[in-house]
Amino acid sequence: MLSVASFGDWLGLLATSVFAASQVQGDTAKGAAFGSVIAIRLLPALVLGPVAGVFADRFDRRWTMVICDLLRFVLFASIPLYALTGASGGLVVTWAAIATFLIETVTLMWIPAKEAAVPNLIPRTRLETANQLTLITTYGITPIAAALVAAVLDRSVRGLAGGDLPNWAQPAQLALWVNAFSRLATAIVVTFGIKEISQSRGGEREQSEQSMVKQFTEGWRFIGQTPLVRGLVLGIFGAFAGGGIVVGTAKFFAASLGAGDAAFFLLFGAIFIGLALGIGLGPTIVRDMSRRRWFGMSIVLASASVLVLAFAIHLSMAILGAILVGTGAGMAFLAGITLLGGEVADEVRGRVFAVVQIGTRLVLILAIALSSLLVGVGGSRQLAIADLGISVSSTRLLLLLAGAAGIFAGISAFGQMDDKKGVPVLADLWGSIRGRPLMPAEPFVSTGLFVVFEGGEGAGKSTQLAALAERLRGQGRDVVVTREPGATGVGERIRSLVLDTAPDDAPSPRAEALLYAADRAHHVATVVRPALIRGAVVISDRYVDSSLAYQGAGRTLPVDEVSWLSSWATGGLKPDLVVLLDVEPHTGLGRVAARSAGTDRLEAESLAFHERVRYAFLDLAAGDPKRYLVLDASRPVEEITDAVARRVDEFLVDLAGVVHPRPAQGPDTSVQPELSDAELVTMERPRR
């Protein structure tokens, strides 16, 4: 149904404009008639635009759409009928303009009703896919189909007539008839086939009790007071303003490249190609990325691409820029429409869609008009740089202005709508493309301190952990000593699974990583986080870094995947201090053999395995030296104990009497140089 409606819109635009031009003589008159009809289609937004959304929210949407389609059927059909009466060309053009104005006025009420009704017909999880289909149909396939139908009509009718055509058989008039009956078809489909469009009875009663003025005021107040909607409107308006400047300057820009009309059409074709790519492929590329973030980033992409156009010195660069402009605009439009449909309450959805749909038209008109007027100011100058002749003109300056304004609008919208505060944007994008979007850390308020001891086998972690715990307890502090795996009942059972030396029971490397993550999730939720909330000092024997070193480097699993898994399990919790006791594998394994008769499964691994583990720990420490204290484990025990105590005291001095909120802030992406930043999602506490 929406495809038929879109087809009718584009065919009607072409048909009415061509029909008007065909009724007068002379190139100037034809051009004026053609352009006037297109301009008139945009004017009703100034007249009825502010209240169109109120109609969509106040009255039954299904019958609003049916009545509007029937009115458009009558108005479109009246244009060729009036031409058949023998009226002069001037009168026919005048009526075509009046009918076009009325058609667009009716359309302004139809669009918000349609947009507000769609989310009620489709499950929320499928709303984006439905919007993809609608937008590709509207802005990709349908314009081309409408042009092809017009061309086919022209050739077919002329072939049948064998030469000159009678007035009633002109292709433009036939196209108007096709468009008129497409409106009748959609009215019939909505009347008898899509009864679910009507809004709820409760909504109707609530709307009927309010005046239209109050509804109008409340709609605008909702937009102004809702960060999501405000950011969407700001971003969409900024993107369309930039697009309008591109449209208004396109003809002159093509000339500045030393090209003619062919280049002008190529640039516009490239924009439509990019639009289709953005709408069709965007969701597949970003996958599970937050649509709020995607919206702002898409606007920035489109606006930055306008800057590419401004600096283009060759047609190929300009075409690439135009494709990117269209891609960004397509993704932004899809994300924006999906967010509006899925997150705006039904009772105000019509008014919000009306503001967006009508506001974009007005912004587009103003941008095109102003840029067209200003484009000739200052003329053009040629700069000789090397052997390149670069044109510096008002056209390029306007494109620069449009790009900069669009980037500002995109960043502003992003700031108002961002639902993952503190998570690095580019890292989140890269992670989403790979199917692992970053997550904000779980917020909680802590007055405690989280210290972790890491290192290879036989490094002396248990000795140093016990010494630190005894010292802190002697100061009267609440100290929680824990370990991974095995700090809880669940952890003990997992520990027996991962460290048992029975070969038949040994888990595979990926299963082992999952078991450690399961232990860590339970450990953090039941031991570490509650202790930090009450202000205790938590000292843990191993944490996330052990998984990165043992399962990542040791088992040669993808380290970024292990990091993402562990970070998801911990909710992004990161220790304040990691004490890394570095020891040569030969030395450490010798200590293990000397103190016990047997070894667990990890201790029994090859020397090469333990070498990989050691260097992985060192790489992790090198990536974040402020958080790590790296000590030579071969030095005397007392010396190591003193060094650990001094560093911990630095934290405790700042900790005294201070409440440290652990906000849902960004993930730490500084794990090791060769790792992907996208997956390393461990939260970093504020520096003390």
Side-chain angles (χ1 to χ4, degrees), residues 96-117:
I98 294 172
T100 298
F101 181 88
L102 295 174
I103 289 167
E104 190 63 18
T105 300
V106 173
T107 301
L108 286 177
M109 291 182 285
W110 184 87
I111 290 175
K114 181 264 291 184
E115 296 289 357

Side-chain angles (χ1 to χ4, degrees), residues 441-456:
E442 297 177 14
F444 72 100
V445 177
S446 168
T447 57
L449 181 69
F450 188 16
V451 180
V452 172
F453 282 85
E454 296 282 12

Side-chain angles (χ1 to χ4, degrees), residues 323-343:
I323 291 175
L324 292 176
V325 169
T327 301
M331 292 191 297
F333 203 27
L334 174 61
I337 293 298
T338 301
L339 286 169
L340 285 175
E343 301 195 29

